[in-house]
Every structure is written in structure tokens, then in C-alpha cells.
Amino acid sequence: MNPDAQTRRLFVGTFLSPEQQESLGRLAERKTDLEKHLQCRVRFVKPLKLHLTWLFLGDVDMGKVPEVQIKLQEISRQWRQQSLNYDQVQLWPSDKRARMIVLAPEVVPEVVQETAAAIGHDLKPYVSKSGHRDYRPHVTLARLERENLNARTIEIPNWLAEECSLPVVHKIDCIELIQSELGTNSDQYQ
């Protein structure tokens, strides 16, 4: 990280529990099997980075970070206990153009949708790239490096869902302002 940088690359997220991170982190032990099945390079997300993203802010001016923190504290005061049941392993954005393997819930509880909407609304002035996207909660497990996205449809092997021990029940006990650094190989976020 460049300590002299005038911006920080930030997002709002909630980490999986340490036990869930450790369990899902063991998927990397099957990397060779997965690469052989998918016929592409696979880069697993490091266990300590496994999280749910509520909102990606992008590059935020350092002077605005305290404002973002205050807004998150205000949102947290309205906090209600919530959880997500990740019961599907999916290829995103699609089987034909897959770039990621994610855990996703079939059903998104209303309280989670409301929290995402509140975060999106209250922090909209701090988002570096505008544009509306529907909120699709997920945990990214791995990124795929495919040379030709249109070459063929790929499928997740059956054993991968078993290895994930679905459903993964994510008890959401906090929201955090998290700093990431593009292109670093750090084991965890700040």
C-alpha cells in the first residue's frame, strides 16, 4: 500500500466466520482436480478474505473516509440480526462466460435486501463508479482465467458442492468498512 495515496480502495462487507473461512479454504487442496475439470486456471480466494460484499465503493478520498464511517455507524444503529443460507455453488456471470465460482443463496431474506438498500442509498455519494446493479449477495470462492470465454459452456463438478458442505449459514453480525489493494497478494484485507 502506498501510505502517501490520497484515496483508499474500499468496500462494505461482512466476513464469514473463521471456521467457515478455514473450511472453505480447504477447497484449494482440490485446485488441480478443479482445473482439470474446468480446463482453465483457477485462483482461489484466500480464506481470510472470504466475505459478503454489501457495496463496493472503489477509490474514496481519504478526507471522506470519516464521513463513510459515520454513515455506517448510523446504519448499524438500525441493525437487525440476519443471516444468509448459501445453498448453491454457481458460475458467474453465466455458465458460458464464467469468470468466478461463488456461493449464493437461492432466497435472499427481506431484511438482507433492506440492509443492502440502506447501505446503497446512504453511501451512494461515496461510490466512485456510478451505475445501478441489482444486489446479488454472494461469496466469491475462486476466479477463473479462461482464454476464450465463448469457447464452451463449463459446469461445476458435483463434488464441489459437497466439499462446500452446503448450506453455509452466514450469521451476519456486523458490517465493516474494508480496504482492499488491487493486485496485492496479501492474505487478508484491512
Side-chain angles (χ1 to χ4, degrees):
M1 172 179 79
N2 178 0
D4 298 326
Q6 299 299 308
T7 62
R8 294 290 185 261
R9 188 171 189 263
L10 302 174
F11 65 92
V12 178
T14 301
F15 289 100
L16 293 177
S17 72
E19 297 79 18
Q20 290 167 327
Q21 290 174 328
E22 180 183 340
S23 176
L24 292 168
R26 286 194 289 272
L27 292 172
E29 296 170 6
R30 302 284 309 263
K31 179 179 176 175
T32 303
D33 297 332
L34 189 57
E35 288 180 335
K36 184 176 180 181
H37 177 87
L38 299 176
Q39 298 178 4
C40 68
R41 187 164 176 243
V42 176
R43 288 183 300 118
F44 279 95
V45 173
K46 296 190 188 271
L48 291 175
K49 290 185 172 182
L50 293 170
H51 69 278
L52 164 70
T53 298
W54 293 97
L55 178 67
F56 180 73
L57 297 169
D59 293 322
V60 176
D61 183 282
M62 285 297 296
K64 301 283 186 186
V65 172
E67 293 174 30
V68 173
Q69 292 171 323
I70 289 168
K71 294 279 188 187
L72 278 179
Q73 288 171 352
E74 291 169 1
I75 294 167
S76 294
R77 285 189 199 108
Q78 318 285 320
W79 189 260
R80 294 189 331 208
Q81 181 67 30
Q82 43 195 286
S83 65
L84 273 171
N85 292 332
Y86 303 109
D87 51 7
Q88 301 177 357
V89 179
Q90 299 177 345
L91 293 166
W92 278 19
S94 68
D95 295 349
K96 279 195 172 189
R97 300 189 55 79
R99 301 297 284 170
M100 301 185 306
I101 299 173
V102 303
L103 287 181
E106 183 176 2
V107 176
V108 180
E110 189 173 327
V111 67
V112 171
Q113 293 173 18
E114 291 169 356
T115 301
I119 292 169
H121 177 268
D122 291 357
L123 298 182
K124 185 177 182 177
Y126 306 98
V127 175
S128 62
K129 292 182 181 177
S130 62
H132 176 74
R133 288 186 183 175
D134 289 335
Y135 184 64
R136 296 175 62 197
H138 66 282
V139 173
T140 301
L141 297 175
R143 290 180 172 72
L144 308 179
E145 296 180 12
R146 300 175 63 193
E147 291 181 22
N148 184 351
L149 289 178
N150 294 319
R152 63 185 171 77
T153 300
I154 61 175
E155 295 179 5
I156 294 173
N158 293 334
W159 57 263
L160 188 58
E162 293 170 17
E163 295 277 329
C164 289
S165 300
L166 298 180
V168 174
V169 180
H170 188 182
K171 292 189 189 310
I172 301 169
D173 54 4
C174 68
I175 52 176
E176 299 179 79
L177 184 61
I178 303 166
Q179 178 179 323
S180 70
E181 296 178 40
L182 196 57
T184 66
N185 206 16
S186 172
D187 285 345
Q188 65 187 47
Y189 293 121
Q190 295 185 25

